[in-house]
Amino acid sequence: MSAYPMPFDDKVFETYRATIDRRDLLRKEAGNLRESAQRLEEAGAVAQADLVRGRIGPLEEEADKADEHAEHLSASSGQNLARRLRSALKRELALAQADAAQARSFKELDAGLEFDRRTAGGSREIRIGNARGRADQRVTLASYSALIKDQAERTEARLRAMAAFDDLWHRAEKGLYPEPRFEPPVDTTAGPSGVTADRVDGLAEMQRLVAYVGRQAQAMLYLRIVERMEFTAIARLIGRDKRDVSALVLSAVDSAAAFFGYARPAPEIERLNEVLALP
């Protein structure tokens, strides 16, 4: 046997976790039925209690099969999947508690915040200013430069592309969402057709952007730049590693920079454009 541990297989782990969840759910249902049967029997409904008890056995058999399958997955993978699951649950609980603590701290701020469905989930990149005292505390979105952690990667083209995408999104989606106090204000005055010409232009440009960078890149730009979501929150949302999310966001920003004309497109895009330009 190798002296080095086998690398984790995420697919096997997710299958193991789903199997454990199913096992626990089946056992919980069996326990609920057992309690229901006991209450029925105490109430004198013996026949009904027997019918309910008859459903317990199949559930417990399915739970035992799920447990055996989980043990087989753990043994065949060469990893202690049970310990990994405990660590994952512990980490998720800590993240949930941190989000809850952050939400409680925001409620104590005298910043005039109002409920908004885009910010209610928390986990956004924000800054709290407190120049003179508690009464002067203000919550603002993080600057574009703060959204790129590594200073060496914080290029002018990327910052300008992030600002351009933020402006484009608000122009394209203006009027569809209520703007909290820290969002860029937009003109929602409708024209004769009920839609502003500026928004029509914004929607058309957004379509061109999506055709250029792709849907996944647009989603990364939206989550990081418009929603100001933290990398950890995005990773939980899309089921990817935090380091993968960072790379995906930077790649999307680079594609947007090329689209807006702030940087040269990637070599693959240049070759594609050359092919499409052929007669």
Side-chain angles (χ1 to χ4, degrees):
M1 181 179 294
S2 173
Y4 298 97
M6 295 177 61
F8 283 131
D9 187 330
D10 290 335
K11 291 184 179 179
V12 172
F13 175 70
E14 292 302 325
T15 302
Y16 175 84
R17 181 169 185 170
T19 304
I20 292 296
D21 289 342
R22 175 173 170 75
R23 180 203 66 185
D24 294 343
L25 179 61
L26 290 169
R27 288 179 175 173
K28 182 178 180 181
E29 291 179 357
N32 292 337
L33 289 176
R34 190 172 287 105
E35 293 177 0
S36 298
Q38 183 177 355
R39 288 195 296 268
L40 288 170
E41 192 172 47
E42 291 173 354
V46 178
Q48 290 87 342
D50 290 339
L51 289 175
V52 172
R53 286 196 180 95
R55 297 166 52 192
I56 296 176
L59 289 176
E60 291 181 334
E61 290 179 5
E62 288 295 321
D64 291 340
K65 290 180 181 178
D67 194 36
E68 292 175 2
H69 182 51
E71 291 180 358
H72 173 72
L73 287 172
S74 183
S76 61
S77 67
Q79 302 288 341
N80 191 335
L81 297 180
R83 183 172 61 187
R84 185 181 177 189
L85 178 58
R86 288 194 298 270
S87 299
L89 294 175
K90 184 177 180 181
R91 182 170 60 254
E92 291 171 3
L93 177 60
L95 290 172
Q97 291 174 341
D99 287 344
Q102 187 182 50
R104 285 195 300 271
S105 66
F106 290 161
K107 291 180 181 179
E108 298 174 356
L109 295 176
D110 183 18
L113 293 179
E114 298 178 1
F115 174 82
D116 182 84
R117 69 180 184 82
R118 290 175 296 168
T119 62
S123 298
R124 298 184 80 185
E125 291 277 6
I126 64 171
R127 295 293 179 268
I128 301 176
N130 185 17
R132 287 173 291 180
R134 183 186 182 90
D136 298 309
Q137 289 176 331
R138 292 293 181 270
V139 175
T140 59
L141 291 177
S143 63
Y144 301 121
S145 60
L147 297 179
I148 300 179
K149 303 298 184 182
D150 191 343
Q151 186 174 358
E153 298 176 339
R154 202 178 298 151
T155 64
E156 181 67 20
R158 285 174 173 171
L159 298 180
R160 294 178 66 183
M162 294 168 80
F165 178 83
D166 201 7
D167 177 70
L168 172 59
W169 190 90
H170 282 85
R171 285 195 295 113
E173 304 297 329
K174 66 173 58 173
L176 297 185
Y177 304 98
E179 284 84 23
R181 294 187 179 184
F182 43 76
E183 294 284 10
V186 295
D187 178 17
T188 57
T189 304
S193 64
V195 181
T196 63
D198 187 42
R199 186 184 173 222
V200 172
D201 292 340
L203 288 171
E205 187 174 0
M206 182 64 79
Q207 288 181 339
R208 292 192 294 271
L209 173 71
V210 173
Y212 188 88
V213 305
R215 286 289 182 188
Q216 182 186 36
Q218 184 210 27
M220 293 296 102
L221 293 170
Y222 168 75
L223 293 174
R224 186 61 175 164
I225 299 172
V226 179
E227 291 287 352
R228 298 297 208 278
M229 287 183 65
E230 298 171 351
F231 287 139
T232 303
I234 298 175
R236 292 202 305 270
L237 178 65
I238 66 176
R240 297 287 292 271
D241 186 85
K242 177 181 176 181
R243 291 167 295 184
D244 295 339
V245 171
S246 176
L248 289 172
V249 168
L250 285 180
S251 176
V253 172
D254 289 339
S255 297
F259 173 79
F260 289 116
Y262 300 135
R264 289 188 60 184
E268 296 82 0
I269 298 296
E270 287 186 327
R271 287 195 293 270
L272 179 61
N273 290 337
E274 291 175 0
V275 172
L276 295 176
L278 291 176

